[in-house]
Amino acid sequence: MSLGVDLIPHKTCNLNCMYCEAGRTLTLTTERREWYPTDSIIHEIDQYLSGSPKLDIITFSGAGEPTLHVGFGRIADYIRSHYPQYPLALLTNSLNMTDASVRKDIAKCNLVLPSLDAASQDVFLRINRPAPGVQIEDVIEGLVAFSSEFEGDIWLEVFLLHGINDSPEELERLHEAILRIKPGRVQLNTLDRPGAVEWVHPMPQDEMKRIAEMWKDLPVEIIARFSLVDHYADKAADLADRILAMIRRRPCTAEDISAALGVAEKDLLGELKQMVRDHRVDTQVLERGTFYKIME
């Protein structure tokens, strides 16, 4: 069980990835600043952790890039000193690893899960759509530097998109970059829910397996399917609120919602259909099934 800590406003990021399950970036920026007061974040952390909840880890994550908050290092230090029983993890898009001071702050975590979806500038621009001026070679050099400095675990995610970053040339460039980065794990992922761009297609499973076999000299694993458990849904007042609380975070199928809320699919479908009729929820059909998402 992980407690997520979100440090920045919704969809504030230095990337606007075409596959992002949280939708398009609303504030595309490389500016690092105190997006929310650091003291207020620490106070909220105290409110939750003072009850000694049963957690496996605390994860800096959210619908954007956590290291854009200049208080990241201070907040990580506070948790480490006041709640040392909880290890820290960070989900990051890797861009700020070009900054040595940010790498020093990130190193306060026990587990870092950076991403790298391209190794050439043209594919990087197409998939990740960064803020102006970002160069993928600089990002790779930052990852290499961080790997040489960091004593914790690095699990590198590579998000594969059919027909975009799966050419032999791009896969070879990625392979060479990963060999330099030397992560403890390489996690291959692909589209599982609606992304920011509707025409983007997931990588077929057999192709994922083929790429994993190509990279068998790396510690590679396929993580394309996910297991979602919403541990906070029971705080909602009724089934409709619980469903909305869940799909507000990310689009989900009825199967996903059933597994997370512990409610049979047949008992969910009537509620979901009514929310669609009421224009509270929209649907999108993908290969894995019908996804329900908040009406925009």
Side-chain angles (χ1 to χ4, degrees), residues 159-185:
F159 204 98
L160 296 168
L161 294 172
H162 187 53
I164 300 179
N165 62 345
D166 59 344
S167 69
E169 297 79 14
E170 190 64 19
L171 290 174
E172 179 57 31
R173 293 188 190 102
L174 276 167
H175 180 257
E176 292 175 359
I178 295 168
L179 285 174
R180 294 179 59 209
I181 296 166
K182 301 176 182 177
R185 297 187 190 181

Side-chain angles (χ1 to χ4, degrees), residues 15 19 92-95 113-120 123-124 127-128 135-141 143-144 155-160 165 170 173-181 183 186-189 215:
L15 295 181
Y19 60 78
T92 176
N93 61 28
S94 311
L95 266 62
L113 300 100
S115 62
L116 181 69
D117 306 322
S120 62
V123 178
F124 173 58
I127 293 179
N128 301 120
Q135 300 293 315
I136 191 59
E137 185 54 42
D138 294 338
V139 177
I140 292 171
E141 292 301 326
L143 278 163
V144 172
W155 298 355
L156 182 72
E157 182 186 66
V158 180
F159 204 98
L160 296 168
N165 62 345
E170 190 64 19
R173 293 188 190 102
L174 276 167
H175 180 257
E176 292 175 359
I178 295 168
L179 285 174
R180 294 179 59 209
I181 296 166
V186 180
Q187 299 183 316
L188 304 185
N189 204 353
W215 290 356

Side-chain angles (χ1 to χ4, degrees), residues 203-221:
M203 183 74 70
Q205 191 68 15
D206 59 344
E207 284 297 295
M208 297 280 287
K209 292 178 180 178
R210 182 184 66 82
I211 293 168
E213 179 62 23
M214 286 174 53
W215 290 356
K216 62 183 178 182
D217 58 330
L218 300 171
V220 65
E221 60 183 1

Side-chain angles (χ1 to χ4, degrees), residues 16-187:
N16 183 23
C17 298
M18 58 167 42
Y19 60 78
C20 185
E21 66 185 31
R24 65 182 179 85
T25 293
L26 302 176
T27 303
L28 182 65
T29 181
T30 58
E31 180 186 9
R32 297 190 72 232
R33 64 182 178 90
E34 195 175 35
W35 294 93
Y36 293 125
T38 302
D39 288 339
S40 295
I41 295 171
I42 289 174
H43 176 67
E44 189 171 346
I45 288 170
D46 274 335
Q47 284 185 309
Y48 190 84
L49 295 184
S50 61
S52 300
K54 293 182 179 180
L55 301 172
D56 297 306
I57 200 163
I58 295 172
T59 306
F60 292 103
S61 58
E65 173 51 40
T67 63
L68 286 175
H69 197 294
V70 294
F72 177 87
R74 182 183 159 203
I75 294 165
D77 273 335
Y78 184 85
I79 296 173
R80 281 164 53 102
S81 62
H82 289 75
Y83 307 98
Q85 67 271 37
Y86 301 122
L88 294 179
L90 166 68
L91 296 175
T92 176
N93 61 28
S94 311
L95 266 62
N96 283 331
M97 288 188 180
T98 57
D99 185 330
S101 65
V102 177
R103 295 199 302 270
K104 184 177 179 181
D105 284 344
I106 294 174
K108 302 176 191 297
C109 295
N110 305 91
L111 170 65
V112 176
L113 300 100
S115 62
L116 181 69
D117 306 322
S120 62
Q121 186 68 11
D122 58 336
V123 178
F124 173 58
L125 292 174
R126 187 178 182 193
I127 293 179
N128 301 120
R129 304 186 298 183
V134 180
Q135 300 293 315
I136 191 59
E137 185 54 42
D138 294 338
V139 177
I140 292 171
E141 292 301 326
L143 278 163
V144 172
F146 179 73
S147 179
S148 69
E149 301 160 357
F150 186 50
E151 297 181 356
D153 293 321
I154 299 175
W155 298 355
L156 182 72
E157 182 186 66
V158 180
F159 204 98
L160 296 168
L161 294 172
H162 187 53
I164 300 179
N165 62 345
D166 59 344
S167 69
E169 297 79 14
E170 190 64 19
L171 290 174
E172 179 57 31
R173 293 188 190 102
L174 276 167
H175 180 257
E176 292 175 359
I178 295 168
L179 285 174
R180 294 179 59 209
I181 296 166
K182 301 176 182 177
R185 297 187 190 181
V186 180
Q187 299 183 316

